[in-house]
Amino acid sequence: MARKSFLFTSESVSEGHPDKICDRISDEVVDAFYREGAAEGLDPWLIRAACETMATTNRVIIAGESRGPKGVTVQQIQELTRAAIKDIGYEQEGFHWANCNIEVLLHSQSADIAAGVDAKQPTNQEEGAGDQGIMFGYACSDTPELMPAPIFYAHRILSDLARDRKARKGDAAMLGPDSKSQVTVRYENGKAVGAEQIVVSHQHIVENLTSKQVRDIVEPYVRRALPDGWIGKDTIWHINPTGKFYIGGPDGDCGLTGRKIIVDTYGGAAPHGGGAFSGKDPTKVDRSAAYAARYLAKNVVSAGLADRCTIQLSYAIGVARPLSIYVDTHGTGKVEEAAIEKALGNVMDLTPRGIRSTLDLNKPIYARTAAYGHFGRSVDNEGGFSWEKTDLAPAIAKAVA
């Protein structure tokens, strides 16, 4: 039987965290291939990008495989990398957008991988998955966004701080780009009811700021981010607990693409298949099938079929159809899980091409996902975060009726 009363903790990191800088750059490269492909009239179904980034003191290395428009040049990638670093806010001696060394080592996609992934013509054989693996999606009724409360509020704290820092609004202008948050949520009778402990470590660009001064800046943002009544006299705060945090970003800690996969998803409240998202075009089911699994789980909960839902999908490289669909409603389901599993396979085409078509993923929508979570976000006007829609709920409810 699932526990009803407990503490659970999740962390978030800001867009200025070294690993998140690398995620942003990798996703900027993916977006560039889709933008340039559209400009050149290239079929978006044929674009491929797998981009990894490393960042350290005044140096960025970008490597990976690609196939697509000729307009994505080394110079263009260097320029978009500098623009991303500038937007994040790095102008410190050890990491500056204008003078960091950027090395680009992209090469053509393996012909062997392409042969297994591309749709076969003229037989019209289905496009295969870009790799084997397992992907998970999750949704719960903790928040209106159907996200676990600890990770959702940890993200909100940092995204609100980043917004005002970049706008040079008030005392937030004294903060730097690099930060981390952590929220320990108290659950009673299965419901998230309060914050037990709060951790925020935030870089500051005014060197002599004390931990108390940083707390004076940060605390109002934390209080606004969390629901009313969640912070009480017994809530424990840890703001810059080690003291000074002046040197931040890649100058203080090397960054790599794909090292914050739990931050990107559900904060540890649900399983993770192990594959990172950033830097991958949607033929890579690590990304697209995880988005599909979230879409399905959110629609199951939105349909009122469960208060919590975990979905696993599995794939083999070059094989179009998922090998398995697994549903766990954690004892909160209103119908049998096997019925939901059967319904999901009927209401959505879960082949790589079907996922890309249903969620409209062949677009430059990925850089915006690189910080503050891939899930629990609002669908935007350009089609970003399409996997957060709940338009499939009626079809799922009908299919299990």
Side-chain angles (χ1 to χ4, degrees):
M1 182 177 293
R3 294 177 62 189
K4 296 294 184 181
S5 299
F6 55 91
L7 301 177
F8 194 84
T9 304
S10 295
E11 72 156 345
S12 178
V13 299
S14 72
E15 62 202 80
H17 185 280
D19 297 331
K20 282 286 137 201
I21 297 169
C22 294
D23 285 347
R24 168 75 177 271
I25 293 168
S26 293
D27 276 337
E28 291 282 4
V29 172
V30 175
D31 284 356
F33 274 90
Y34 279 108
R35 276 194 303 270
E36 290 298 323
E40 295 178 17
L42 188 68
D43 184 351
W45 294 96
L46 300 178
I47 290 174
R48 302 287 184 268
C51 178
E52 312 294 340
T53 303
M54 184 183 82
T56 185
T57 303
N58 271 331
R59 188 170 182 83
V60 176
I61 300 171
I62 301 167
E65 306 80 49
S66 64
R67 185 181 74 189
K70 301 186 185 305
V72 183
T73 64
V74 168
Q75 181 180 356
Q76 183 180 354
I77 292 172
Q78 290 171 331
E79 289 173 353
L80 65 84
T81 297
R82 293 192 194 282
I85 296 169
K86 183 179 182 180
D87 179 66
I88 291 167
Y90 275 105
E91 295 183 338
Q92 61 193 45
E93 183 179 353
F95 196 71
H96 197 296
W97 64 269
N99 55 30
C100 65
N101 183 290
I102 301 170
E103 188 173 3
V104 180
L105 303 171
L106 291 175
H107 61 83
S108 298
Q109 183 190 42
S110 161
D112 291 344
I113 293 176
V117 175
D118 289 347
K120 308 300 188 300
Q121 301 295 341
T123 60
N124 201 31
Q125 182 178 329
E126 290 177 320
E127 173 184 291
D131 202 353
Q132 70 175 49
I134 56 175
M135 299 83 207
F136 287 92
Y138 180 72
C140 66
S141 57
D142 279 9
T143 64
E145 294 77 8
L146 304 185
M147 284 290 289
I151 188 66
F152 181 79
Y153 294 118
H155 285 323
R156 177 177 282 182
I157 291 166
L158 296 186
S159 62
D160 288 354
L161 278 162
R163 180 195 62 227
D164 285 358
R165 170 186 63 82
K166 293 164 77 171
R168 304 294 187 192
K169 183 177 179 180
D171 289 342
M174 292 190 285
L175 300 177
D178 195 357
S179 60
K180 303 177 79 171
S181 66
Q182 192 166 281
V183 180
T184 299
V185 172
R186 183 173 68 258
Y187 285 79
E188 294 178 0
N189 297 318
K191 301 294 184 182
V193 297
E196 190 81 6
Q197 302 212 33
I198 296 165
V199 183
V200 179
S201 295
H202 212 302
Q203 182 189 12
H204 44 91
I205 58 175
V206 177
E207 186 169 3
N208 59 354
L209 284 186
T210 65
S211 293
K212 181 184 183 305
Q213 289 172 311
V214 174
R215 175 168 175 170
D216 288 343
I217 299 170
V218 167
E219 183 172 339
Y221 288 89
V222 177
R223 290 185 177 276
R224 286 195 294 268
L226 270 59
D228 290 342
W230 270 40
I231 298 175
K233 60 182 178 61
D234 295 327
T235 301
I236 299 171
W237 294 73
H238 306 274
I239 307 298
N240 281 22
T242 62
K244 185 177 179 181
F245 186 7
Y246 181 65
I247 299 173
D251 189 32
D253 188 13
C254 181
L256 291 170
T257 299
R259 284 204 301 197
K260 287 293 177 282
I261 59 176
I262 300 303
V263 171
D264 285 343
T265 53
Y266 309 103
H272 195 294
F277 300 160
S278 289
K280 297 176 180 177
D281 74 70
T283 65
K284 283 73 173 174
V285 284
D286 278 342
R287 180 169 222 160
S288 57
Y291 289 173
R294 161 65 177 173
Y295 177 56
L296 293 174
K298 187 173 184 181
N299 278 271
V300 167
V301 176
S302 181
L305 300 178
D307 293 327
R308 293 174 60 202
C309 181
T310 298
I311 292 174
Q312 184 204 60
L313 304 174
S314 67
Y315 291 85
I317 188 168
V319 178
R321 301 286 171 177
L323 309 185
S324 62
I325 302 172
Y326 168 79
V327 173
D328 183 358
T329 55
H330 308 277
T332 70
K334 310 301 189 293
V335 298
E336 291 294 325
E337 287 145 333
I340 299 175
E341 290 168 355
K342 183 178 179 181
L344 297 184
N346 291 330
V347 300
M348 182 175 177
D349 180 352
L350 290 172
T351 65
R353 180 170 282 260
I355 293 170
R356 292 163 73 193
S357 178
T358 299
L359 299 180
D360 200 12
L361 299 181
N362 293 334
K363 288 181 174 181
I365 56 173
Y366 297 106
R368 69 198 70 174
T369 69
Y372 314 118
H374 291 244
F375 307 129
R377 310 279 289 273
S378 297
V379 181
D380 60 39
N381 293 333
E382 293 77 37
F385 304 102
S386 59
W387 47 93
E388 290 298 309
K389 295 184 294 185
T390 54
D391 57 329
L392 202 61
I396 295 173
K398 181 179 180 181
V400 300

